[in-house]
Amino acid sequence: MSNIAILEVDGKRYEFPMLKGSENEITIDINNLRSVTGGITTLDPGFKNTSSCESAITFLDGEKGILRYRGYSIEELAEKSDFLEVAYLLIFGELPTKVQKADFTKEIKKNNIVDEDIKKILDGFPRSAHPMGVLSALTSALTAFNPKSVNVESEKDMFKAVCKILGKFPVLVAWTYKKEEGLPLAYGDNSLGYVENIIKMMFERPNEKFVMNPVVVKALDKLLILHADHEQNCSTSTVRVVGSSQTGLFASLSAGISALWGPLHGGANQAVIEMLEAIKEDGGDYQKYIAKAKDKDDPFRLMGFGHRVYKNFDPRANIIKEAAEEVLNDLGIDDPVLDIARGLAKEALSDEYFKSRNLYPNVDFYSGIIYRALGIPVPMFTVMFALGRLPGWIAQWKEMRLRKEPISRPRQLYTGAPLRAFVEEAER
Ligand code: CMC
């Protein structure tokens, strides 16, 4: 194949280099398109065909259902690694040695505490506030308590900032939950592991002895690994775009949390369980909901189905489906919603509408079932996703800054009114 792409406009030919990624993906480098053509741009709403950056963090092949972090398959990481190790891998590029892992863990534990004044901010929210809004606000507030920007060029500085946010974030996550439940805010116990500590901070009650369930720890650890990064998705792109104006790490992460909140992205896990519950309440007739999803005049979509990139299967969904069955078995839970999910998936997978559009269950189709089994309330589902995605956002922010990417500033095709004379108020 030639390594140039040719564009012809009004009989004039322009050549653009074709670049090849390490997995042989091909892209046309149009960096100088406007300058050589005198202002022509490309139009690609939703960036369906646009590579917004070069990245060495996560590889995803939507056709083949492949997901790898730094070259390691998601299947192997989910089976053999743990969340903190995966966080280190994503952010620093390699799996940590024993010593590196110990240092990383120690520094994170040191930061597993937040300024007491954060409690006052939390106090200002009504109990009815959605935990994602609260989490985004608290993460942004961390900027006020840590006003010095991290020097991304300094490995030491960056290591400290990474450990700071990885340490403090679970406290914020647990506190958004406690706020929602009206329970006292509590800290963890640094003799516990990272995920154990999160569970303790979330579920310990002042009037009961807390007992850690290893099934819950293992399942949550796996879920966090599966969510840890997913290349240039909506929230990650948001973190990179916001950070490209040299906004600090914590404020960029806060923007990522807001982007994740929406039901077409991370908010889908909440929407899925609400949809499955609604089907259950409605007598379990999922055919009716499949018909609604296919009806062009009905805005209803089958939540947890379809993906911008995966057009064959979502490898995370396969792992999660298995994990969901395991957790329900281990915890001895018989959840009728899982039966509805199984039936709905089976039906949709053999339906021509879904087959022809390559719509498969995605990661969110099953994750809500696990969260529910673990006792996590529905509005907290997307918060758990954010907890998992944190290392990916940090890794992508760091990479963007180290590569000295230019400020993100797309162009547009203007379709508004041409120049017109101002109309005085009396004449409007
Ligand atoms: N139910 C019914 N029809 C659908 C669905 C769905 N869930 N998803 C896509 N379609 C149809 C859509 O109507 C369109 O049909 P047509 O070609 O006849 O107009 C076709 O499939 C292509 O859809 P699209 O909206 O152009 O595809 P997209 O790549 O822009 O959207 C998506 C991807 C994930 C936003 C979409 O599939 C969706 O809304 N799914 C439901 C929400 C969801 O589960 N989101 C979680 C995604 S995975 C986790 C994450 O990324 O955070």
Side-chain angles (χ1 to χ4, degrees), residues 48 230 233-234 260 262-269 272 293-294 296 300-309 311 314 316 353-354 357 359 362-365 385 389:
K48 288 190 176 191
H230 212 231
N233 57 84
C234 178
L260 186 73
L264 297 190
H265 191 12
N269 55 17
V272 168
K294 287 159 59 174
K296 285 280 154 225
F300 175 79
R301 280 189 165 197
L302 217 50
M303 298 316 286
F305 260 78
H307 197 276
R308 169 60 61 81
V309 185
K311 298 298 176 196
D314 179 341
R316 303 166 303 170
Y353 174 94
F354 292 90
R357 288 170 179 77
L359 300 170
N362 58 49
V363 68
D364 288 327
F365 192 68
F385 191 156
R389 185 55 54 87

Side-chain angles (χ1 to χ4, degrees), residues 24-250:
N24 296 326
E25 336 81 278
I26 295 181
T27 193
I28 305 169
D29 179 355
I30 57 161
N31 242 301
N32 63 353
L33 175 69
R34 284 194 75 249
S35 60
V36 297
T37 59
I40 294 178
T41 62
T42 54
L43 179 66
D44 187 20
F47 310 121
K48 288 190 176 191
N49 307 283
T50 299
S51 297
S52 61
C53 60
E54 289 182 39
S55 179
I57 301 171
T58 289
F59 173 68
L60 202 163
D61 182 329
E63 273 67 38
K64 295 195 185 122
I66 292 174
L67 174 62
R68 294 181 202 141
Y69 300 158
R70 302 279 187 188
Y72 296 103
S73 81
I74 192 66
E75 288 81 5
E76 222 179 348
L77 289 169
E79 191 195 325
K80 298 180 182 164
S81 194
D82 63 60
F83 179 60
L84 268 200
E85 199 167 75
V86 166
Y88 189 98
L89 170 72
L90 285 167
I91 299 168
F92 300 108
E94 295 295 338
L95 285 167
T97 61
K98 204 171 170 184
V99 173
Q100 286 168 332
K101 193 171 176 183
D103 284 349
F104 189 50
T105 309
K106 191 171 152 205
E107 187 66 21
I108 290 171
K109 285 188 173 177
K110 217 167 85 185
N111 282 288
N112 189 9
I113 194 154
V114 297
D115 194 296
E116 275 294 291
D117 281 345
I118 290 274
K119 288 184 178 168
K120 293 187 196 147
I121 301 174
L122 195 58
D123 261 355
F125 284 96
R127 280 266 299 277
S128 58
H130 193 287
M132 280 299 274
V134 179
L135 184 66
S136 172
L138 294 185
T139 307
S140 188
L142 284 182
T143 312
F145 295 92
N146 301 271
K148 200 173 154 281
S149 259
V150 54
N151 173 9
V152 72
E153 303 283 348
S154 152
E155 269 182 42
K156 201 171 140 210
D157 231 41
M158 203 51 217
F159 181 79
K160 283 202 173 302
V162 166
C163 294
K164 193 177 259 184
I165 188 66
L166 286 174
K168 294 183 190 309
F169 202 69
V171 181
L172 303 185
V173 164
W175 286 6
T176 58
Y177 174 64
K178 295 279 179 167
K179 171 84 194 181
E180 219 235 340
E181 299 284 299
L183 289 167
L185 306 178
Y187 278 109
D189 169 355
N190 276 346
S191 66
L192 297 173
Y194 190 75
V195 174
E196 286 175 306
N197 220 351
I198 293 165
I199 292 170
K200 176 178 154 62
M201 282 192 285
M202 284 181 71
F203 296 119
E204 188 172 41
R205 291 178 161 256
N207 56 341
E208 281 167 20
K209 187 170 160 32
F210 179 71
V211 183
M212 190 73 68
N213 184 337
V215 173
V216 174
V217 179
K218 191 173 151 228
L220 188 56
D221 198 291
K222 193 174 273 194
L223 276 174
L224 296 178
I225 292 175
L226 294 178
H227 282 110
D229 195 42
H230 212 231
E231 53 119 293
Q232 306 313 316
N233 57 84
C234 178
S235 57
T236 302
S237 299
T238 301
V239 170
R240 283 184 93 122
V241 167
V242 173
S244 77
S245 70
Q246 300 197 352
T247 293
L249 176 62
F250 298 167

